[in-house]
Structure formats: structure tokens, C-alpha cells
Amino acid sequence: MTTTVRADRRHRYSPAAFWRGRLSPWRTRRLLEAHLLVAFVCALLAATALSLSCRQTERGAQALASREAPAVQGLAASRLAALRSYQEAQYLVDRKLLDVVGSGDAYRSQLSAADQGLSRIADRTDQDLGTVNGLLDTYGNSLNLGTSVYHDQPLMQEQKLDEAHSLLTRRTVGLVPRLEALETAQLRHAKATAAVGRWQLAGWWIGELALAALASTLLSALFVLRDRCGRDWNPYLLAALVLTVLLAVVPLLAASATQHGVDAALGDLRWITGVSGRGGAAGAQQGVADASERVRQELAAGAWTGRVYEGTFVGGLLVVVLPALALALRLDGDYWRRR
């Protein structure tokens, strides 16, 4: 007797009994129609919000990988190459090696690297590089005059080297300060491109909340069909429920992983910007090259977000269609045709 009472009490206070009591004032047809409407609205809202948020995350990562990061890296490499070119030229003058065959190859290669770096990033930045390119040409010409044409005229050589140094380092208007200003502005632009904005964050919240409401609606619809209509588990609703869970988890994990890579890449870009202003030593150049490779790898890890976006878009369409199809078919078979 005691066991029967306990079983009856568990049955009476079970979640199913609670939900059955909450739905008891509603007729079955109205319940199914209400579930159909709520499921359709929640699914449509979730699919739209998640698709837009995923797309924005993908575009931000792609823009950082294809435009912003290479521009910062190129400006840093050009700045270091310009600084090192003067160091190499000054080394030749101090050691009196200008007459040695091939002695100017080192500084000329650095000048060429600086010029090539600016050329490569010309289409990856909205900033005007005309003044910087002109300064680099004038600086390179002064350096060549000082080390080649006037190598046997000490006064003219000193004048041209001083002129080259002034063009390189003069405060605000010199080549290196201009490159530094461009690099800092480009880094700010990279941060703004990769940042998660308020609307994007709101899209994730709306999508996740809509999916939670959709999952609750689908569970309730499955309960109504079994409890009131005597039906087995509806395969369309079950498939929609599985897709809802996947949509709630997979895009969010993908976006989190992508954002983690973006944050790590931005940290390396900040380091590159800082180290490129400390001089043109070979160690600094190698450090920038290594950090640039890390940035490439960190951003390449988010390349699969494109497939996640496509999967989110398709899954969003299915999660809109499947519940609507399941409930519409049941309503049509049991109620709508009887009018």
C-alpha cells in the first residue's frame, strides 16, 4: 500500500503531470497551432540572428588575415629594413670598406626590401603611401650618393649621410616616424575590424535565447502529440530538436575559437609594432618574421568558419522547415481537413 501511494505521488508531482496541468485549459488543436506559430517564429529568429553573427565573425577574421595583418607586418618590415639599411651603410663607412667589391649589397638589399614591402601592402591599406614612397626614394638616393658617388670625398660623403639620416629619423616628418604613424593607425584599424561589436554580440544572445525557446517548444510539442494524440515520437520534431542543440553549440564554439585566434594574432601584431621601433638589427627583423608566421597560423586556424557558416545557414533553414512541416501535417490530418 505504501509503495502504491509513493508511486502515485511521484506520478502526480512529476514534470509531465505539472506540464499536463498547465496545458489542460487548452484544446488540442489550439495547442498544436500555438506550438506551430511559436516554433516557426523562434526558429526564424534564431536562424537569422545566428547566420548574421556567424557571417560577421567570418568576415572580420578574413579581413584581418587578408588585409589588416599583412599591412601591419609590411609596414613593420619596411621600417626595420629602412633602419638597417642606414646601419649597414654606416658600418661600411666606419670600417672603410666602400672600395671592397660588393660591399654595398647589404644596405641595397635592405632598401629593396623596404620598397618591396611598401609595394606589397599598397592594395591592403586605405592610407596614402605616396609621401612615404617619395621619402624612401629620396633617402635611398642620398645613401647611394654618400656611399658610392662621393665615397672618396669625405666632406660630401658626410653631408649626404647626414642628409640620409635626417630623412630617415627626423621627428614627425622623417621616413621612420611616418612609417610608425601609419603602422599605429593600421593596428588600430585591425583592432576595430576584429572587434565584436554590440550588434554582433546582441545577435549571438538573441540567437541562443531563441534556440532555447525553440527547444522548449519542440519538447512541449512532442509531449502534446504523445499525451493528447497518442502518437509516437515524431521524427521531424526529433530531428529539429537535435539540430537545435547543434546550432546552439557548434557555431558558438567555432566563433569562440576564431575569436581566440584573432585575439592572439592582435597580441602578436602589437608586439610587432613595438619591436619594429627599437632599431633595425637583424634580430629584430627575424623576430618580426617569426611573429608574422605565428599570426598567419593563428588566423589560418579560423579558416573553417566559412564551412560553419554554411552549415549554420542550412541548419537554420531545416530547423525552420521541420517543425512547421511536422505540426502542419498533424493539424492537416487531424483537424484542418475536417472543416
Side-chain angles (χ1 to χ4, degrees), residues 33-46:
E33 288 175 342
H35 281 80
L36 173 61
L37 178 61
V38 173
F40 180 78
V41 171
C42 289
L44 188 62
L45 183 62

Side-chain angles (χ1 to χ4, degrees), residues 87-98 157 161:
Q87 292 177 2
E88 294 288 350
Q90 192 64 53
Y91 176 82
L92 295 177
V93 173
D94 293 342
R95 296 300 178 91
K96 303 186 185 310
L97 298 175
L98 293 176
Q157 181 186 70
L161 289 177

Side-chain angles (χ1 to χ4, degrees), residues 110-182:
Q110 295 298 325
L111 283 174
S112 178
D115 182 63
Q116 290 175 8
L118 292 176
S119 299
R120 281 195 297 268
I121 66 172
D123 59 342
R124 292 178 173 175
T125 178
D126 297 330
Q127 302 184 80
D128 183 15
L129 299 179
T131 303
V132 172
N133 283 318
L135 269 174
L136 181 61
D137 291 339
T138 305
Y139 162 72
N141 183 60
S142 296
L143 206 59
N144 285 325
L145 288 175
T147 56
S148 300
V149 178
Y150 300 118
H151 70 278
D152 55 351
Q153 301 179 38
L155 291 178
M156 289 298 297
Q157 181 186 70
E158 183 178 359
Q159 179 186 351
K160 288 301 177 182
L161 289 177
D162 288 345
E163 181 181 285
H165 186 264
S166 177
L167 288 168
L168 182 67
T169 61
R170 185 181 300 169
R171 186 176 181 181
T172 306
V173 296
L175 178 60
V176 169
R178 286 182 183 273
L179 284 172
E180 181 181 7
L182 289 172

Side-chain angles (χ1 to χ4, degrees), residues 255-266:
S256 178
T258 300
Q259 194 60 42
H260 178 75
V262 165
D263 291 341
L266 287 175

Side-chain angles (χ1 to χ4, degrees), residues 44 48 69 71 78 109 113 149 160 168 204 229 266 305:
L44 188 62
T48 303
S78 295
S109 67
V149 178
K160 288 301 177 182
L168 182 67
W204 284 112
C229 303
L266 287 175
T305 53

